[in-house]
């Protein structure tokens, strides 16, 4: 798997360079929805990532945020978010990243998340641990929600989806030590993996948001499920991710009527 990790690392570095070059400069912004932005930087980053990986591994398939799914049914599927945190990026708020994962026969084997602005790269190969800038990371040892710093995200969709998002937020807010909403699910998962957050949940996710981050979290000793605590996969729209120690308590809080 090392050859795939190195390709992901190189592709993410190229995308990160594009992001920093264009940050705080004028660029085209389009809308996929009322609050769902896509910039020309997203498109450029995705192209450089897919071009590099496809040149190294012809025949592999892709699932990318802007380009969708492509390929001919290979066992190898690259899952790419070229710019996670686009709204942050468009406003010059330095909480954005590149997320690249490789799934083999449906199981994520390699994950890499690069935060160019912070100079941080999180990565994992299944069974080999999780790393931040090549230093081993582990989840926190916090055992109670009342002592926890947790994080969430809100869907771009308003109306009924906003109400569904607010319900667990309003339940967790008074129980946790503090709560953040930073706008990049990939980084949020990596922060749980690194012990910076103790837990994270979100409704309205996509596979490219979480494929790399969930592997990194697992390899750091964390746990992720659906909001009810049931097993799920990266294609589910709802996710709860924690250090494992507060997981059951988080589920019980969010399920309370």
């Amino acid at each position: 798997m090392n050859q795939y990790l190195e390709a992901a690392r190189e592709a993410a570095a190229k995308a990160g360079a594009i992001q920093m070059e264009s940050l705080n400069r004028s660029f085209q912004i389009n809308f996929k929805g009322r609050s769902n932005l896509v910039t020309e930087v997203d498109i450029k980053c995705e192209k450089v990532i897919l071009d590099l990986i496809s040149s190294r591994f012809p025949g592999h398939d892709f699932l990318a945020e802007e380009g969708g799914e492509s390929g001919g049914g290979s066992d190898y599927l690259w899952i790419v978010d070229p710019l996670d945190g686009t709204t942050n990026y468009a406003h010059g708020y330095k909480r954005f990243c590149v997320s690249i994962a490789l799934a083999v026969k449906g199981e994520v084997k390699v994950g890499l998340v690069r935060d160019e602005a912070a100079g941080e790269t999180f990565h994992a190969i299944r069974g080999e641990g999780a790393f931040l800038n090549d230093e081993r990371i582990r989840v926190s040892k916090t055992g109670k929600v009342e002592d926890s710093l947790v994080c969430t995200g809100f869907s771009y969709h308003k109306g009924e989806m906003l109400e569904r998002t607010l319900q667990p937020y309003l339940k967790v807010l008074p129980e946790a030590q503090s709560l953040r909403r930073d706008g990049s699910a990939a980084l949020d998962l990596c922060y749980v993996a690194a012990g910076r957050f103790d837990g994270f949940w979100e409704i309205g996710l996509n596979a490219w948001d979480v494929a790399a981050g969930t592997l990194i979290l697992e390899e750091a000793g964390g746990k992720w499920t659906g909001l009810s605590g049931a097993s799920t996969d990266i294609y589910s729209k709802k996710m709860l991710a924690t250090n494992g120690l507060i997981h059951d308590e988080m589920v019980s809080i969010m399920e309370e009527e």
Side-chain angles (χ1 to χ4, degrees), residues 82-153:
L83 177 49
D84 187 46
T86 299
T87 301
N88 290 346
Y89 184 85
H91 289 271
Y93 178 48
K94 294 181 179 179
R95 282 281 294 176
F96 54 84
C97 65
V98 183
S99 177
I100 303 175
L102 173 64
V104 182
K105 296 183 178 180
E107 182 178 48
V108 178
K109 296 289 191 179
V110 176
L112 183 140
V113 174
R114 185 179 180 100
D115 179 349
E116 193 72 33
E120 294 187 333
T121 299
F122 300 85
H123 82 263
I125 293 175
R126 185 167 295 280
E128 297 185 15
F131 298 84
L132 166 56
N133 291 349
D134 297 321
E135 295 290 329
R136 188 75 177 257
I137 55 174
R138 296 287 300 178
V139 294
S140 72
K141 296 181 180 179
T142 305
K144 296 181 179 179
V145 173
E146 66 182 1
D147 299 322
S148 296
L149 176 61
V150 297
C151 184
T152 190

Side-chain angles (χ1 to χ4, degrees), residues 229-255:
S231 296
T232 189
D233 60 36
I234 61 172
Y235 299 98
S236 172
K237 295 293 185 179
K238 303 177 183 179
M239 179 177 293
L240 169 65
T242 73
N243 63 2
L245 300 175
I246 65 166
H247 205 90
D248 290 345
E249 187 182 359
M250 285 287 290
V251 169
S252 67
I253 290 170
M254 287 191 286
E255 285 188 333

Side-chain angles (χ1 to χ4, degrees), residues 18-72:
I18 293 171
Q19 292 169 4
M20 297 310 293
E21 180 181 353
S22 300
L23 184 65
N24 295 321
R25 296 185 182 182
S26 177
F27 48 80
Q28 183 177 345
I29 300 175
N30 296 312
F31 291 83
K32 294 185 283 187
R34 185 164 69 117
S35 302
N36 192 359
L37 312 183
V38 57
T39 71
E40 63 180 298
V41 179
D42 294 74
I43 305 300
K44 288 179 181 178
C45 289
E46 184 165 297
K47 184 178 187 306
V48 76
I49 293 168
L50 269 58
D51 283 353
L52 186 149
I53 293 174
S54 61
S55 71
R56 300 280 178 85
F57 311 109
H60 285 196
D61 291 351
F62 292 93
L63 175 61
E65 179 172 13
E66 307 310 332
E69 193 165 2
S70 61

Side-chain angles (χ1 to χ4, degrees), residues 215-228:
L215 176 61
I216 294 165
L217 175 67
E218 285 181 47
E219 290 296 317
K223 179 178 181 178
W224 60 281
T225 66
L227 298 187
S228 67

